[in-house]
């Protein structure tokens, strides 16, 4: 129910291998054909904006992870658990990943999905997907939930997404399984509340939480997974477990720590795939299939082949991850909603820099906003 945001891993893995995929048309078509495509952006973009002849200029891709997928039980609404803007500058040389806190307090536009209507109002940004998907399930819930979230981001920032994607994170585990491992630097000690083992070696949940997933309480007799600060190579289970943690982090940075770890893990997966996957004739077919199963994409009217060609020179090491609110809490309590995050003035400047394709200049003035990777 957590970091399905790794649609970036799916989209970017297809394109970040550069010439190794683009050079072989058969492989490219196989890769792009494995990806499910769906209209997600809806009225968040105009017909003109969706008719790109090619991929030129600065681009913004909205990446969303959900806490339920692909079917909603009893048509219950799903909140977007992770929200990321992938910004490509005009020359496509250095992509930027900007995570929006899911508790950001924002204006959500009025919306009618045909089953239920939402009058509009201020709420947490992750509620936008829920309000858009209410009364629906499956693909319709995804489309309308994503559309209202895109409209909310457009109202907040003025940014019209050029493309968008949803991740099914269970598929990400299969990607790491094909690769065998994913290696990265763990920047703080992390204790898992989700995965642990009994004395006999049986996997078990080490902490119980309340109905909202809060207030973890230790389960006697179960030793939790512990990820010590330093270099680490994760198994598929460990990679999933590490990146979903936000409760028992050594720096007590909660959602901001989890955002940073998710971004770091995304880069690590992309690097591992380019290094050990796309150059392996035995791993490549399985990797393409696994990647395809992780995602649903709205390519914004541009073929995935064209996206791949336009980004053929982009490498995982080029990606810059950025902290909103400089990774610091700016919380308020709102009656009827609870604790929310207020986006700082400097965060709004960052989002305007994204809109104007001036992120590099923003980071020169605010270097501490670059997340360690």
């Amino acid at each position: 129910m957590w970091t399905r945001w790794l649609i970036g891993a799916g989209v970017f893995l297809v394109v970040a291998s550069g010439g190794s995929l683009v050079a072989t048309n058969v492989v490219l078509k196989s890769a792009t054909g494995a990806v499910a495509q769906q209209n997600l952006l809806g009225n968040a973009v105009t017909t003109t904006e969706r008719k790109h002849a090619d991929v030129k200029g600065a681009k913004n891709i909205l990446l969303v992870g959900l806490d339920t997928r692909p079917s909603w039980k009893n048509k219950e609404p799903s909140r977007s658990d992770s929200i990321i803007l992938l910004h490509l500058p005009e020359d496509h040389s250095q992509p930027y990943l900007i995570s929006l806190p899911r508790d950001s307090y924002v204006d959500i536009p009025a919306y009618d999905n045909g089953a239920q209507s939402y009058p509009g109002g201020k709420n947490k940004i992750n509620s936008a997907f829920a309000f858009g998907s209410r009364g629906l399930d499956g693909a319709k819930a995804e489309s309308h939930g994503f559309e209202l979230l895109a409209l909310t981001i457009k109202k907040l920032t003025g940014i019209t997404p050029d493309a968008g994607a949803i991740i099914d994170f269970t598929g990400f585990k299969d990607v790491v399984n094909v690769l065998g491992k994913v290696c990265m630097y763990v920047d703080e000690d992390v204790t898992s509340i989700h995965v642990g083992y009994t004395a006999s070696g049986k996997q078990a949940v080490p902490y119980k939480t309340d109905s909202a997933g809060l207030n973890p309480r230790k389960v006697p007799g179960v030793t939790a997974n512990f990820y010590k600060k330093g270099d680490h190579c994760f198994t598929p289970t460990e990679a999933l477990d590490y990146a979903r943690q936000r409760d028992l982090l050594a720096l007590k940075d909660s959602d901001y720590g989890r955002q940073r770890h998710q971004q770091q893990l995304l880069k690590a997966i992309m690097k591992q795939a380019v290094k050990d996957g796309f150059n392996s004739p035995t791993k490549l077919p399985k990797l393409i299939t696994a990647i395809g199963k992780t995602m649903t994409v709205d390519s914004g009217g541009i073929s995935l082949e064209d996206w791949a060609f336009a980004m053929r020179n982009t490498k995982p090491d080029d990606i810059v991850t950025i902290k909103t609110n400089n990774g610091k809490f700016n919380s308020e309590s709102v009656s009827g909603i609870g604790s929310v995050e207020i986006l700082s003035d400097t965060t709004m400047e960052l989002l305007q820099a994204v809109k104007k394709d001036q992120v590099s200049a923003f980071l020169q003035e605010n270097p501490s906003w670059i997340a360690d990777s």
Side-chain angles (χ1 to χ4, degrees), residues 276-296:
D276 297 333
F278 286 117
N279 293 321
S280 169
T282 57
K283 288 184 179 180
L284 182 57
K286 292 180 181 179
L287 188 58
I288 289 174
T289 300
I291 291 170
K293 289 180 179 179
T294 67
M295 57 183 156
T296 301

Side-chain angles (χ1 to χ4, degrees), residues 336-351:
I337 297 177
S339 179
V340 301
E341 280 296 294
I342 306 299
L343 296 177
S344 67
D345 291 342
T346 311
T347 293
M348 296 309 298
E349 291 175 13
L350 166 62
L351 294 173

Side-chain angles (χ1 to χ4, degrees), residues 13-249:
L13 285 175
V14 171
V15 298
S17 61
S20 60
L21 270 185
V22 177
T24 306
N25 191 47
V26 173
V27 175
L28 179 58
K29 288 188 177 296
S30 174
T32 56
V35 179
Q37 297 193 57
Q38 183 176 316
N39 182 358
L40 299 172
L41 293 168
N43 291 325
V45 296
T46 67
T47 302
T48 301
E49 288 172 322
R50 295 178 63 84
K51 290 184 178 179
H52 295 287
D54 50 28
V55 187
K56 290 183 178 180
K59 299 295 178 185
N60 295 296
I61 302 172
L62 176 59
L63 313 176
V64 176
L66 305 183
D67 59 12
T68 56
R69 180 191 158 90
S71 61
W72 282 250
K73 293 181 180 180
N74 301 319
K75 298 184 178 180
E76 296 174 357
S78 174
R79 294 174 184 268
S80 48
D81 195 57
S82 299
I83 305 166
I84 297 174
L85 282 172
L86 169 60
H87 175 70
L88 299 172
E90 185 174 9
D91 62 3
H92 300 177
S93 61
Q94 190 169 57
Y96 299 94
L97 287 179
I98 302 103
S99 294
L100 292 173
R102 62 181 187 170
D103 292 340
S104 301
Y105 194 48
V106 300
D107 281 312
I108 301 176
Y111 186 80
D112 189 339
N113 66 13
Q116 293 189 30
S117 60
Y118 170 66
K122 297 206 72 171
N123 212 311
K124 297 180 180 181
I125 195 170
N126 70 339
S127 298
F129 201 105
F131 293 140
S133 64
R134 286 190 305 183
L136 304 172
D137 57 13
K140 287 186 177 180
E142 289 182 340
S143 295
H144 287 281
F146 198 102
E147 180 181 9
L148 182 54
L149 177 58
L151 288 168
T152 300
I153 291 174
K154 185 175 181 178
K155 184 174 184 179
L156 174 69
T157 66
I159 296 170
T160 300
D162 296 285
I166 295 173
I167 189 69
D168 176 357
F169 204 76
T170 57
F172 160 69
K173 185 175 181 179
D174 291 336
V175 174
V176 181
N177 191 52
V178 172
L179 294 172
K181 64 181 179 180
V182 59
C183 299
M184 61 176 288
Y185 180 76
V186 173
D187 64 5
E188 64 177 315
D189 289 347
V190 175
T191 300
S192 172
I193 69 168
H194 302 294
V195 179
Y197 293 89
T198 63
S200 63
K202 182 179 179 181
Q203 184 171 317
V205 176
Y207 286 83
K208 291 182 179 180
T209 60
D210 58 26
S211 59
L214 303 173
N215 303 313
R217 301 174 300 281
K218 187 74 174 69
V219 176
V222 180
T223 301
N225 274 10
F226 178 73
Y227 308 107
K228 186 175 177 58
K229 181 178 179 179
D231 293 323
H232 195 96
C233 286
F234 292 113
T235 67
T237 298
E238 290 172 339
L240 287 167
D241 183 45
Y242 168 74
R244 69 188 296 200
Q245 303 306 320
R246 64 171 180 163
D247 294 278
L248 303 181
L249 308 184

